[in-house]
């Protein structure tokens, strides 16, 4: 193990009187050790292995067989369900992310205007659905509530979008913190100049909040691409009816774990990873046009 | 859950676990692991039988665990991939080839008729655990396809209950009358067009099979077209469930249109009667499939099978447990008809002596159709699991008007060939 050398406790050297105490750098590695082990053993190593597997035919039980780019070629050339799952996922991201952010911002504005009057209570209350968010029980309840919607191809995806939008607690709390950072005097000055509520929102709140908005947008977009639990539970693990809720992750799971095509599933995982990285990069590129940091002039 | 992490975590576990195999012995005791799917009720009787086994074989310790059916095979596949396979494994007919075809299951052939006694068995039934000449599993119990129906609704509509000799046309008319009689509130039948089990039974009535012995489709595109047309005829005659209910067929018996009291009759398996009976106690009956030929199409299907892992280090103990569960009279008494009709005919007879409740209904149905039941075909080939779902999906697309029957058949055929490769 490469790490072992560095994990040795540093020898204690006598410290000259009057000089600032030296901090042995190696101690940092000691404290980082458990995390590093976890990161390497449970994230980096499996990712490297899955990259390898994506070039193989691997059925979980027998040794993987190298097939080069076949999995990737098949993904884009010869798998209509794969394209369907990409379509469903893109639609989901395009609907759920804006909806969730608008809701989160609206509620944050509302709570911000309360200024202490029960704000803490309402903040917790609105956050509650997000705490329950990933729970299977909640998705089951959702399934029961939207019983007939969930069972028709035209509406099934909408119910999952709504379920996700309803869990706007995390971006809302971040928005709220951002709103409370905006200096009051900006608003006071604007009010003196006769600016109305909309004008202040558009010209002060949103620009001042744009870094937070950007942060939430990036985070929620990444999350939305990786949505799994709700779709799995609401559609009973099938992505139905008629593949209308066949999320990318759901299809990946089906390929890997119920059809034993783990090589193919690994290729899917890597395409998703690269796609998310690209989209995040694009978002960062656009940010220079609309994100306003306070120190800019 | 993050996609790449799902894969990553599992693969990580695979590599961590590959170092430590199961079946460690301590103090001269052999330890084996036995897993199955089922509910609490099944767990209770199974564990009781296992305890009896342990008390008779004090040198063997058996650890057990169970899952529901949906999660069972996912857990099993990851455990086997991780080099941590259970020694004794409850198997499903549909998955037999998926596992045996990947050399995961122990060939029991040398033990059959010796350590695993089969003198009191229907010899044809033993073959249902055989693949390419190897006995990769032993059937645990028997079930068959059936029509579950609500006799009150049949009576109210003044129609005859299902009986041997009724035809698909009879069924359609019966179902339409029931549905009309309830003002359309309760469907006359549950839409069967997406269910491979129904398709298979229907094919057998026409002298065909779902798969040939070498694992190719035993039917043509025209057969499938005719089957989907039949299901459409039911919809056109207002004799079956609406489109929104078509997805619920995937759930347990309790969640189907029949379990929810939205349908008067449903294609199912007799071994699922217990599930129906918990939500609609003593309300439902079992009847034979309709058929347009002399052949009923239903067969003696192994409801579950039992296998040993090819990688077990304790073959003798695993085989001993398998024989005990299959053939010991006391184990038979404890297990009853929980998994269907016991495979050992002497035990089946003994169980039949004091039946009650759901078990009784199942046994009586089996008796009524026994003369008409065929032997089980070879287990479905690798890829059937995917085709099973494919059929549901394509049928859904027809029902929701997204595809014509012809389009659906073509797409089904293309994907099915891919799955069977």
């Amino acid at each position: 193990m490469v790490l072992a050398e560095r994990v040795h406790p540093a020898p204690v050297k006598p410290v000259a009187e009057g000089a600032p105490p030296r901090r042995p750098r190696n101690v940092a590695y000691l404290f980082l050790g458990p995390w590093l082990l976890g990161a390497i053993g449970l994230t980096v190593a499996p990712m490297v292995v899955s990259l390898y597997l994506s070039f193989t035919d691997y059925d979980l039980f027998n040794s993987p067989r190298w097939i080069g780019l076949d999995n990737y070629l098949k993904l884009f050339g010869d798998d209509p369900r794969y394209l369907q799952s990409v379509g469903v996922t893109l639609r989901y991201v395009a609907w759920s992310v804006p909806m969730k952010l608008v809701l989160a911002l609206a509620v944050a504005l509302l709570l911000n205007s309360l200024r202490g009057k029960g704000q803490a209570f309402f903040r917790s209350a609105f956050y509650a659905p997000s705490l329950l968010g990933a729970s299977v029980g909640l998705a089951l309840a959702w399934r029961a509530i939207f019983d007939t919607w969930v069972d028709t191809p035209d509406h099934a995806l909408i119910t999952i979008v709504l379920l996700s939008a309803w869990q706007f607690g995390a971006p809302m709390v971040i928005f709220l913190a951002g709103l409370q950072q905006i200096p009051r005097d900006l608003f006071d000055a604007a009010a003196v100049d006769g600016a109305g509520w909309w004008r202040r929102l558009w010209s002060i709140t949103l620009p001042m909040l744009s870094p937070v908005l950007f942060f939430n947008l990036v985070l929620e977009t990444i999350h939305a691409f990786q949505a799994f639990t709700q779709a799995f539970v609401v559609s009973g693990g099938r992505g139905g009816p008629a593949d209308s809720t066949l999320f990318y992750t759901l299809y990946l799971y089906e390929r890997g774990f119920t059809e034993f095509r783990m090589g193919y599933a690994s290729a899917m995982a890597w395409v998703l990873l690269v796609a998310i990285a690209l989209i995040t990069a694009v978002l960062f590129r656009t940010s220079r046009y609309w994100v306003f940091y306070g120190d800019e002039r | 859950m993050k996609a790449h992490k799902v894969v990553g975590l599992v693969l990580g576990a695979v590599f961590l676990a590959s170092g430590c195999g199961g079946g460690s012995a301590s103090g001269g005791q052999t330890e084996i692991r036995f897993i199955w799917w089922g509910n609490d009720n099944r767990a209770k009787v199974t564990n009781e039988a296992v305890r009896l086994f342990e008390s008779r074989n004090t040198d063997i310790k058996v650890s057990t665990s169970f899952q529901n059916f949906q999660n069972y095979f996912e857990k099993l596949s990851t455990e086997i991939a991780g080099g941590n396979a259970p020694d004794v494994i409850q198997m499903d007919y549909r998955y037999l080839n998926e596992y045996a075809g990947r050399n995961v299951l122990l060939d029991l052939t040398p033990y059959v008729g010796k350590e695993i006694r089969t003198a009191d068995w229907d010899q044809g039934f033993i073959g249902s655990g055989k693949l390419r000449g190897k006995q990769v599993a032993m059937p645990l119990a028997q079930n068959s396809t059936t029509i579950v129906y609500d006799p009150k609704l049949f009576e109210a509509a003044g129609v005859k209950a299902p009986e041997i000799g009724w035809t698909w046309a009879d069924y359609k008319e019966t179902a339409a009358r029931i549905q009309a009689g309830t003002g359309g509130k309760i469907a006359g039948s549950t839409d069967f067009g997406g269910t491979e089990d129904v398709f298979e039974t229907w094919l057998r009535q026409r002298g065909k099979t779902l798969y040939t012995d070498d694992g190719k489709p035993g039917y043509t595109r025209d057969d499938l077209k005719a089957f989907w047309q039949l299901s459409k005829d039911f919809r056109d005659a207002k004799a079956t469930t609406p489109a929104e209910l078509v997805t619920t067929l995937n759930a347990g018996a309790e969640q189907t249109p029949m379990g929810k009291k939205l349908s008067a009759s449903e294609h199912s398996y007799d071994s699922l009667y217990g599930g129906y009976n918990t939500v609609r106690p003593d309300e439902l009956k079992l009847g034979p499939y309709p058929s347009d030929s002399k052949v009923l199409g239903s067969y003696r299907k192994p409801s579950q099978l039992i296998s040993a892992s090819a990688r077990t280090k304790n073959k003798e103990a695993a085989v001993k447990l398998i024989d005990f569960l299959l053939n010991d009279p006391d184990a038979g008494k404890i297990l009853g008809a929980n998994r269907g009709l016991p495979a050992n005919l002497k035990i089946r007879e003994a169980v039949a002596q004091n039946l009650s409740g759901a078990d009784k209904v199942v046994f009586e149905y089996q008796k009524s159709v026994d003369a008409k039941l065929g032997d089980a075909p070879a287990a479905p080939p690798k890829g059937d699991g995917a085709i099973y779902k494919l059929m549901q999906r394509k049928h859904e697309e027809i029902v929701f008007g997204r595809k014509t029957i012809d389009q659906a058949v073509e797409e089904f055929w293309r994907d099915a060939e891919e799955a069977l490769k």
Side-chain angles (χ1 to χ4, degrees):
Chain A
M1 192 102 212
V2 188
L3 278 180
E5 248 175 304
R6 298 184 175 176
V7 174
H8 279 303
V12 182
K13 289 181 187 161
V15 177
E17 223 172 307
R22 287 188 55 186
R23 299 199 191 120
R25 237 184 300 162
N26 290 355
V27 172
Y29 290 107
L30 182 68
F31 283 101
L32 277 172
W35 179 85
L36 272 174
L37 275 179
I40 292 172
L42 293 173
T43 308
V44 179
M47 276 179 75
V48 171
V49 173
S50 90
L51 181 61
Y52 162 68
L53 289 176
S54 74
F55 296 104
T56 67
D57 180 10
Y58 177 49
D59 72 355
L60 279 174
F61 307 134
N62 298 299
S63 310
R65 192 171 55 85
W66 184 267
I67 53 169
L69 285 172
D70 280 11
N71 286 329
Y72 291 95
L73 293 177
K74 193 173 155 39
L75 271 183
F76 294 107
D78 189 26
D79 188 352
R81 283 193 87 204
Y82 175 72
L83 300 181
Q84 167 75 8
S85 77
V86 170
V88 167
T89 307
L90 287 177
R91 248 173 292 156
Y92 171 76
V93 172
W95 280 103
S96 75
V97 173
M99 209 188 259
K100 193 177 197 171
L101 290 183
V102 168
L103 257 175
L105 182 59
V107 174
L109 285 169
L110 202 66
L111 290 183
N112 194 41
S113 66
L114 282 179
R115 289 276 165 198
K117 290 168 236 141
Q119 196 196 57
F121 168 77
F122 284 110
R123 196 174 51 207
S124 311
F126 280 111
Y127 193 74
S130 304
L131 286 176
L132 307 167
S135 95
V136 171
L138 196 73
L140 281 174
W142 203 261
R143 207 203 130 75
I145 294 166
F146 290 96
D147 198 12
T148 44
W149 271 33
V150 164
D151 290 329
T152 51
D154 291 337
H155 302 132
L157 186 61
I158 298 172
T159 60
I160 301 178
V161 169
L162 289 177
L163 175 57
S164 138
W166 180 51
Q167 293 157 1
F168 57 78
M172 178 207 60
V173 168
I174 298 172
F175 275 137
L176 195 54
L179 285 172
Q180 289 168 356
Q181 294 298 315
I182 301 175
R184 295 280 313 160
D185 49 358
L186 289 179
F187 290 107
D188 295 340
V192 169
D193 289 343
W197 190 86
W198 282 109
R199 180 77 208 186
R200 273 175 286 163
L201 177 69
W202 187 251
S203 301
I204 301 174
T205 312
L206 285 182
M208 292 300 283
L209 204 58
S210 60
V212 176
L213 190 60
F214 177 62
F215 173 80
N216 273 335
L217 176 68
V218 170
L219 223 59
E220 292 302 326
T221 305
I222 294 175
H223 279 158
F225 270 106
Q226 297 171 336
F228 178 82
T229 315
Q230 296 99 324
F232 184 85
V233 175
V234 169
S235 76
R238 298 178 51 238
D243 278 350
S244 56
T245 59
L246 186 70
F247 281 53
Y248 196 99
T249 50
L250 214 54
Y251 187 47
L252 186 156
Y253 173 84
E254 187 181 311
R255 280 288 183 168
F257 291 96
T258 68
E259 293 176 16
F260 307 115
R261 294 179 197 235
M262 196 48 90
Y264 198 78
S266 300
M268 285 186 68
W270 275 91
V271 172
L272 180 63
L273 187 73
V274 171
I276 291 177
L278 281 179
I279 286 167
T280 309
V282 168
L283 285 178
F284 268 93
R285 292 287 291 196
T286 64
S287 72
R288 66 175 68 162
Y289 302 111
W290 61 274
V291 177
F292 170 76
Y293 292 98
D295 51 359
E296 290 169 23
R297 282 288 173 266
Chain B
M1 219 182 314
K2 294 174 190 172
H4 61 272
K5 282 197 175 163
V6 175
V7 175
L9 272 175
V10 170
L11 292 170
V14 167
F15 283 82
L16 287 175
S18 55
C20 40
S24 58
S26 60
Q29 256 201 344
T30 307
E31 196 177 325
I32 56 173
R33 209 150 63 81
F34 167 35
I35 67 166
W36 70 88
W37 72 86
N39 53 16
D40 292 341
N41 193 26
R42 178 173 294 167
K44 204 176 132 235
V45 293
T46 309
N47 281 327
E48 200 180 323
V50 165
R51 273 197 297 277
L52 181 65
F53 175 78
E54 285 179 326
S55 72
R56 294 215 191 137
N57 301 277
T58 47
D59 55 331
I60 303 174
K61 197 175 156 2
V62 185
S63 61
T64 60
S65 65
F66 70 103
Q67 305 274 320
N68 64 34
F69 185 74
Q70 274 196 328
N71 303 335
Y72 179 81
F73 282 97
E74 281 141 28
K75 180 146 200 276
L76 180 63
S77 59
T78 44
E79 279 189 352
I80 295 174
N84 192 25
D87 300 272
V88 178
I89 304 165
Q90 183 172 310
M91 257 294 141
D92 183 59
Y93 205 40
R94 180 155 281 113
Y95 283 88
L96 196 56
N97 241 315
E98 304 272 3
Y99 284 85
R102 296 184 166 97
N103 305 316
V104 169
L105 305 180
L106 182 69
D107 181 9
L108 297 171
T109 315
Y111 305 100
V112 175
K114 300 186 193 101
E115 286 87 351
I116 300 175
R117 293 161 286 172
T118 53
D120 300 328
W121 284 50
D122 171 349
Q123 298 302 308
F125 196 49
I126 302 173
S128 62
K130 220 179 236 185
L131 283 176
R132 290 173 289 275
K134 286 184 182 171
Q135 193 81 40
V136 289
M138 291 296 286
L140 262 173
Q142 175 189 319
N143 68 356
S144 296
T145 47
T146 185
I147 305 272
V148 192
Y149 68 98
D150 183 338
K152 278 207 191 103
L153 289 170
F154 274 65
E155 266 167 47
V159 290
K160 273 203 288 184
E163 56 182 4
I164 300 259
W166 74 321
T167 64
W168 286 94
D170 293 339
Y171 186 18
K172 190 172 63 183
E173 239 183 81
T174 301
R177 276 180 63 180
I178 294 173
Q179 191 159 327
T182 65
K185 275 193 200 122
I186 299 178
S189 71
T190 301
D191 197 337
F192 53 82
T195 313
E196 196 190 65
D197 314 78
V198 184
F199 183 48
E200 179 178 31
T201 309
W202 178 86
L203 279 172
R204 291 169 62 95
Q205 295 175 354
R206 291 158 63 100
K208 307 234 173 159
T209 54
L210 191 57
Y211 295 104
T212 59
D213 286 342
D214 56 348
K216 301 267 175 335
Y219 53 93
T220 63
R221 287 174 172 82
D222 286 338
D223 290 316
L224 182 56
K225 209 182 282 182
F227 179 67
W228 275 339
Q229 185 60 48
L230 179 66
S231 138
K232 183 170 183 295
D233 291 345
F234 270 64
R235 288 195 297 279
D236 292 345
K238 293 194 170 32
T240 197
T241 44
E244 303 86 72
L245 289 179
V246 80
T247 50
T248 59
L249 296 176
N250 226 19
E254 302 86 341
Q255 295 291 317
T256 64
M258 193 74 204
K260 286 178 167 173
K261 224 172 177 171
L262 296 169
S263 171
S265 69
E266 189 162 286
H267 296 76
S268 191
Y269 279 103
D270 51 14
S271 54
L272 298 180
Y273 184 79
Y276 289 108
N277 203 47
T278 47
V279 281
R280 305 190 56 183
D282 303 322
E283 285 179 35
L284 306 178
K285 285 191 170 176
L286 300 177
Y289 260 45
S291 174
D292 297 343
S293 73
K294 292 245 178 310
V295 183
L296 179 62
S298 303
Y299 59 86
R300 297 181 187 89
K301 182 179 182 286
S303 54
Q304 291 116 36
L305 304 101
I306 191 161
S307 298
S309 162
R311 298 171 199 185
T312 177
K313 292 187 185 121
N314 300 295
K315 284 182 197 164
E316 277 69 31
V319 167
K320 215 170 196 178
L321 176 63
I322 291 175
D323 177 66
F324 177 82
L325 293 171
L326 292 173
N327 292 315
D328 188 274
D330 296 321
K333 207 177 281 171
I334 295 170
L335 295 169
N338 181 284
R339 285 178 165 83
L341 271 66
N344 181 312
L345 297 178
K346 279 220 173 119
I347 291 177
R348 189 182 298 183
E349 219 170 281
V351 169
Q353 296 308 313
N354 37 82
L355 283 170
S356 61
D359 287 355
K360 194 169 179 188
V361 178
V362 176
F363 265 76
E364 276 169 7
Y365 167 71
Q366 282 276 344
K367 216 162 113 191
S368 73
V369 293
D370 190 62
K372 288 269 187 180
L373 294 180
D375 278 339
K382 258 195 255 182
D384 175 66
I387 293 179
Y388 193 87
K389 286 193 234 156
L390 173 65
M391 183 151 191
Q392 289 183 333
R393 222 161 45 227
K394 290 297 155 200
H395 179 247
E396 280 169 16
E397 292 181 350
I398 298 171
V399 171
F400 286 110
R402 303 206 152 185
K403 297 267 158 67
T404 65
I405 291 179
D406 286 334
Q407 283 172 326
V409 168
E410 284 312 314
E411 291 180 11
F412 175 90
W413 208 262
R414 185 196 60 210
D415 293 356
E417 278 183 336
E418 169 71 29
L420 287 174
K421 253 189 223 162

